[in-house]
Each structure stands twice: as structure tokens, then as C-alpha cells.
Amino acid sequence: MATEPSKTTALSTLSAWGTHSMAPTGLATLITALHFRPLQKAPMLFVPVLLFSSYINLQGFKKDSAGLTAAASGTYALLALRRSSASFFKRFGVRGAVRGTAVLLGLANVAGCGWVYATADRRAEDEDRKNNPRWG
């Protein structure tokens, strides 16, 4: 007996991406890899914001976390796209690949987290948080 494959829509995939706590953590990791050595202070300001967003997501504040993640990720992606990139051959090195991945992950966070922020129900989230306490 074969089982039917699950039917996932694009909106359910966006919703799952926007409510997951790993999206801001992954972008924070890539930003740290790009801008920690040599230290660039302005891009590194996004790392604590994204990690805090992941923390409040784990606390049950999914809509608030999605809004914060979308704002921080979008701002980082815009600023990263405005920077002048190096020569043509340096774009395809390891650093260029990590930079491209960070920008794409930032744009994916904007799409997924923006969708969750626009469609999430705050009252249902409050009820879920009251009925299922995270830390006791």
C-alpha cells in the first residue's frame, strides 16, 4: 500500500519558514562569518537582534518574532546589496558564496516572516502560550 504524498502549498511553506526559530539564527551565523574578521561594527549590530528574535520565537511569541525577523533581515539584505562587491572573480569564491547565501536567506526571511506577521492571529497565539507554558 502506497501512501499519498503530503500536499504542501507555497503558503504553508512560507508559514512554516516564518514560524521556525532557525531562520533568524541561520542568518545571524552567516552575518557573523562574514563580518567578524575583520570586525565590521555596523553589520554586526544585526546579530543580537536576530538572536533575540529567535529567543522570543521559542518563548511562544511567533507573530512578534516574525515581524522583528522580517525587519532585521530585510534591512540587512538591502544594506548588503548596496555594498559594492569585489571584482568579478572574487564573487565566486567562498566569501562571495557566503555573502550571496546571506542575502538570499535574508530575502527568504522577509517573505516567510512577513507572511506570518501579516496573517498570524495574536489571540490564538496568546491562548496557545497560556495553555502550553514553555518553561514551567
Side-chain angles (χ1 to χ4, degrees):
M1 298 188 142
T3 60
E4 286 187 35
S6 64
K7 296 179 182 179
T8 58
T9 63
L11 294 180
S12 67
T13 304
L14 274 178
S15 181
W17 183 268
T19 57
H20 205 280
S21 65
M22 284 303 292
T25 306
L27 182 58
T29 303
L30 291 174
I31 292 172
T32 303
L34 282 170
H35 303 291
F36 193 66
R37 287 190 71 159
L39 183 64
Q40 298 171 356
K41 294 177 184 174
M44 287 298 290
L45 292 176
F46 290 100
V47 173
V49 174
L50 290 166
L51 291 177
F52 178 70
S53 175
S54 181
Y55 173 75
I56 63 174
N57 189 341
L58 291 174
Q59 294 297 321
F61 296 93
K62 303 258 185 231
K63 181 172 182 166
D64 300 324
S65 171
L68 185 59
T69 300
S73 298
T75 305
Y76 176 77
L78 285 175
L79 291 176
L81 287 173
R82 285 184 47 98
R83 278 195 304 265
S84 64
S85 59
S87 70
F88 182 75
F89 292 107
K90 288 186 179 180
R91 289 183 193 174
F92 298 107
V94 174
R95 190 170 182 90
V98 172
R99 180 177 180 230
T101 304
V103 171
L104 287 176
L105 186 57
L107 294 175
N109 285 349
V110 169
C113 296
W115 173 256
V116 169
Y117 186 74
T119 60
D121 183 18
R122 195 175 298 273
R123 288 187 184 98
E125 185 180 286
D126 289 341
E127 287 297 319
D128 182 47
R129 219 174 21 257
K130 288 177 186 173
N131 294 336
N132 301 316
R134 298 284 195 269
W135 310 110

